[in-house]
Amino acid sequence: MTALLRASGLTKRYGGLLACNDFALAVMPGSLHALIGPNGAGKSTAIGLLAGEIAADAGDITFDGNDITQVAIPARVKRGLTRSFQITSVLPQFTALENVAIVAQIRAGHSFCFWRDARDDRRLTDPARAMLDRVGLGPRAAILAADLAHGEQRQLELAMALMTGARMLLLDEPMAGLGQSESQDMTALLAALKGRVTILLVEHDMDAVAALADRVSVMVSGRVIAEGSFADMQSDPAVREAYLGEAG
Amino acid sequence: MVEAIRRRLVIASTALLMLALPLVADRLAMPDLVALGTQVAIYAVAAVGLDLLIGYTGLSSFGHAGFFGLGGYVVGILAFHAADGSLFLGVVPGATAAWIAWPAAILISALAALAIGALSLRTSGVSFIMITLAFAQMLFYLFVSIKTYGGDDGLGFRRRNALPWINPRDDVAFYYVCLAVLALVLAACHRLVRSRFGIVLLGIKQNERRMAAIGLDGGRYKLAVFTLAGAIAGLAGALQANLLRFVSPDMLHWTMSGDFMVMVVLGGVGTLVGPVFGAAAMVLLQSWLTQWTEHWMIVMGPVLVAVILLTRRGIWGALAGRR
Ligand SMILES: Nc1ncnc2c1ncn2[C@@H]1O[C@H](COP(=O)(O)OP(=O)(O)OP(=O)(O)O)[C@@H](O)[C@H]1O
Ligand SMILES: [Mg+2]
């Protein structure tokens, strides 16, 4: 089987710092692939490069067999590659429903429609409502995103990413800032998605990684130093050293 | 619910007052009120357009007067060439009919906004404010330097543009024309901000990075709304030229851009009707205060600060309750 997403030689330099250094990764279709590593390893930079938000200094990215290295973010989203953010990123003055409906609108094509009221367009709100139900936010549809609890905002972000029709999600620490029970809810949500959407999961929560990941890549100082099953990584001496016994 | 009724009441009574203004002016024997009302309506048209940028897209353009003045000059220059039968650039004949001059003003301002927007929108934040200011100042100096059209002194013309069934010398009729234009612009913008296009603008204002991540190419929408706001300012400029039968570089000066921003902020950012109240407050305060002192800004400044600090959404927020 060939990889859905493949990166090779990805490099990003910030001044003297190599945030990504000859970064290579292959994510198999249908798998949940975890990318872990200590703070500052370059995980978010890698996500930014893969999503098209950051321009690489060197390297190639292929998605579904096509070279997308030079493809802009919106076009990557149209091909089915969507990211989420480490720091919660929603539209605070829109309700939960509006946050998802606007994604449905963008997916439906251009928005150069100046006259018809779009706020209660059932073609947008119906699928948005269904998506909110799917992530467990159905009852909170009418609440402003700014007034949602942090855990709910993270669920909303996932709903927005899914609403793009993504075949592959790049999730940057979806559990960041969540309490234990909220983390478990999010883990259950991702477990339900697993297999239907290919996922690259950046996460510090090792319980979640252990429960979810088919494969784990460990990133240190801008490059992947080891890859295998979660158990393999736990016993890998290089990984143990990188984490200084912190995890693993 | 109560707030919705209150909002409608405020809008209805304001509309009534504006419709009845010529009668009131007549009764009070204050004919100047009609000219003031016309000025309010014209500035309001431009300010509503600017609110699309500031209040709905998060684009703080400091060059709005550039498009306002450009629209005015299109009317002035066409009138100038019509008067002596000469040709603009040796090809374009002059015109005095509104149905030619006003669409021409809108078109030229829109094209200028398209070009200036295409360059300015590569930046954001403070850089965007400065670059729009710089482009408007370039237009200002351009008209200062064209001696054919009066340079510094500006350019006067004898008659307002001809409209069917309307006597161009009738100030009250012209007031109602401006009022009708304002009503049309408000109604169109009201629909616009609730359309798919408007929703995308609100999304860009709240979190542009997020909008890109869900697949939006935001640049096209920002350029479209910048062009639209420029076109609306051009229309307002055409009306302004007709009100005074005179255009001058003052229309394009950066202080005029600042005044438009003040109208939007004073009236209520992101409310569309707010800027109408902002324009009224600005014009009335200016006309009353200049009777006492030429340094009317000394009073205007503190008023602005007080309104911003004490209300959530400017005058409109105070009148209609917060939303
Ligand atoms: N825009 C930037 N300019 C300069 N340096 C940056 C920039 N973005 C990231 N860096 C640096 O690059 C390195 C990698 O950062 P990155 O955010 O990718 O790490 P991370 O693995 O996601 O860390 P964390 O687990 O804390 O989220 C860090 O040293 C960071 O300070
Ligand atoms: Mg990170």
Side-chain angles (χ1 to χ4, degrees), chain A residues 49-119:
Chain A
L49 289 166
L50 295 172
E53 215 171 64
I54 305 173
D57 297 325
D60 302 292
I61 306 164
T62 57
F63 183 68
D64 201 16
N66 300 309
D67 186 337
I68 57 163
T69 317
Q70 303 299 329
V71 172
I73 316 175
R76 290 192 200 198
V77 175
K78 274 198 191 73
R79 290 176 189 222
L81 183 63
T82 304
R83 72 162 299 174
S84 75
F85 293 90
Q86 181 170 352
I87 296 164
T88 310
S89 179
V90 293
L91 305 171
Q93 292 149 35
F94 280 177
T95 63
L97 184 67
E98 288 167 339
N99 265 274
V100 185
I102 196 173
V103 184
Q105 176 184 320
I106 291 164
R107 185 180 174 184
H110 71 80
S111 293
F112 286 103
C113 311
F114 305 99
W115 196 250
R116 289 245 327 259
D117 195 325
R119 290 169 310 163

Side-chain angles (χ1 to χ4, degrees), chain A residues 53 73-74 77 82-83 85 89-94 102-103 105-106 108 110-119 121 123-124 157 160 164, chain B residues 187-188 191-200 202-218 220-221 224 228 313:
Chain A
E53 215 171 64
I73 316 175
V77 175
T82 304
R83 72 162 299 174
F85 293 90
S89 179
V90 293
L91 305 171
Q93 292 149 35
F94 280 177
I102 196 173
V103 184
Q105 176 184 320
I106 291 164
H110 71 80
S111 293
F112 286 103
C113 311
F114 305 99
W115 196 250
R116 289 245 327 259
D117 195 325
R119 290 169 310 163
D121 185 340
R123 287 170 305 174
L124 304 178
E157 262 201 84
M160 292 171 78
T164 62
Chain B
R191 299 267 337 197
L192 182 91
V193 298
R194 283 158 181 77
S195 69
R196 290 195 177 197
F197 182 75
I199 289 191
V200 162
L202 282 171
I204 290 173
K205 184 192 174 195
Q206 292 173 70
N207 192 340
E208 195 170 358
R209 190 170 173 219
R210 201 10 163 173
M211 294 303 287
I214 54 178
L216 185 83
D217 180 4
R220 297 152 71 201
Y221 297 92
L228 178 64
R313 287 219 169 184

Side-chain angles (χ1 to χ4, degrees), chain A residues 110-114, chain B residues 49 52-53 56-57 59 64 67 106 109-121 128 189 192 195-198 200-201 204 216-233:
Chain A
H110 71 80
S111 293
F112 286 103
C113 311
F114 305 99
Chain B
L52 288 179
L53 297 183
Y56 288 88
T57 322
L59 291 172
H64 210 52
F67 310 115
I106 294 171
S109 294
L111 286 176
L114 184 67
I116 291 174
L119 295 169
S120 311
L121 287 166
F128 179 76
C189 289
L192 182 91
S195 69
R196 290 195 177 197
F197 182 75
V200 162
L201 298 183
I204 290 173
L216 185 83
D217 180 4
R220 297 152 71 201
Y221 297 92
K222 289 198 286 185
L223 186 56
V225 74
F226 193 83
T227 304
L228 178 64
I232 294 173

Side-chain angles (χ1 to χ4, degrees), chain B residues 5-191:
Chain B
I5 294 170
R6 185 165 150 191
R7 276 207 300 277
R8 295 225 170 110
L9 271 177
V10 174
I11 291 180
S13 43
T14 308
L16 214 65
L17 180 71
M18 291 184 88
L19 280 171
L21 184 76
L23 295 176
V24 176
D26 200 36
R27 277 288 158 79
L28 298 177
M30 291 171 71
D32 290 354
L33 274 185
V34 174
L36 279 183
T38 312
Q39 186 64 79
V40 168
I42 292 171
Y43 281 168
V45 169
V48 168
L50 184 59
D51 196 23
L52 288 179
L53 297 183
I54 299 180
Y56 288 88
T57 322
L59 291 172
S60 299
S61 167
F62 202 169
H64 210 52
F67 310 115
F68 179 71
L70 203 53
Y73 264 99
V74 168
V75 166
I77 290 171
L78 287 174
F80 171 87
H81 288 290
D84 68 1
S86 59
L87 298 174
F88 173 69
L89 296 179
V91 272
V92 184
T96 55
W99 71 269
I100 297 174
W102 297 8
I106 294 171
L107 186 71
I108 298 293
S109 294
L111 286 176
L114 184 67
I116 291 174
L119 295 169
S120 311
L121 287 166
R122 292 159 187 249
T123 67
S124 59
V126 176
S127 315
F128 179 76
I129 297 176
M130 297 318 284
I131 197 168
T132 48
L133 169 68
F135 275 119
Q137 284 299 93
M138 277 167 57
L139 285 174
F140 170 80
Y141 286 113
L142 175 70
F143 283 104
V144 165
S145 67
I146 305 180
K147 298 296 174 228
T148 321
Y149 303 127
D152 253 340
D153 300 330
L155 174 65
F157 48 96
R158 286 183 48 138
R159 273 182 187 219
R160 290 202 177 113
N161 291 138
L163 281 159
W165 311 296
I166 288 173
N167 177 0
R169 290 207 181 79
D170 184 344
D171 290 337
V172 171
F174 183 66
Y175 169 72
Y176 282 117
V177 168
C178 293
L179 209 54
V181 169
L182 174 60
L184 277 175
V185 167
L186 271 175
C189 289
H190 180 84
R191 299 267 337 197

Side-chain angles (χ1 to χ4, degrees), chain B residues 236-316:
Chain B
L239 296 176
Q240 179 74 14
N242 274 277
L243 171 64
L244 303 177
R245 276 168 279 134
F246 173 73
V247 291
S248 79
D250 284 350
M251 279 177 83
L252 304 105
H253 198 247
W254 68 269
T255 50
M256 192 70 235
S257 293
D259 285 351
F260 286 134
M261 282 182 130
V262 169
M263 290 174 212
V264 172
V265 174
L266 193 63
V269 180
T271 63
L272 289 185
V273 279
V276 179
F277 292 92
M282 186 96 178
V283 169
L284 295 181
L285 273 176
Q286 187 172 359
S287 98
W288 283 328
L289 292 175
T290 41
Q291 294 173 1
W292 309 107
T293 165
E294 60 177 301
H295 304 294
W296 63 281
M297 257 299 172
I298 292 175
V299 183
M300 189 69 192
V303 167
L304 184 63
V305 172
V307 168
I308 291 172
L309 290 180
L310 296 177
T311 69
R312 227 172 74 91
R313 287 219 169 184
I315 299 171
W316 172 245

Side-chain angles (χ1 to χ4, degrees), chain A residues 176-194:
Chain A
L178 297 189
Q180 187 148 30
S181 75
E182 289 173 323
S183 286
Q184 280 164 3
D185 291 348
M186 183 59 81
T187 305
L189 240 161
L190 294 182
L193 280 177
K194 191 176 155 176

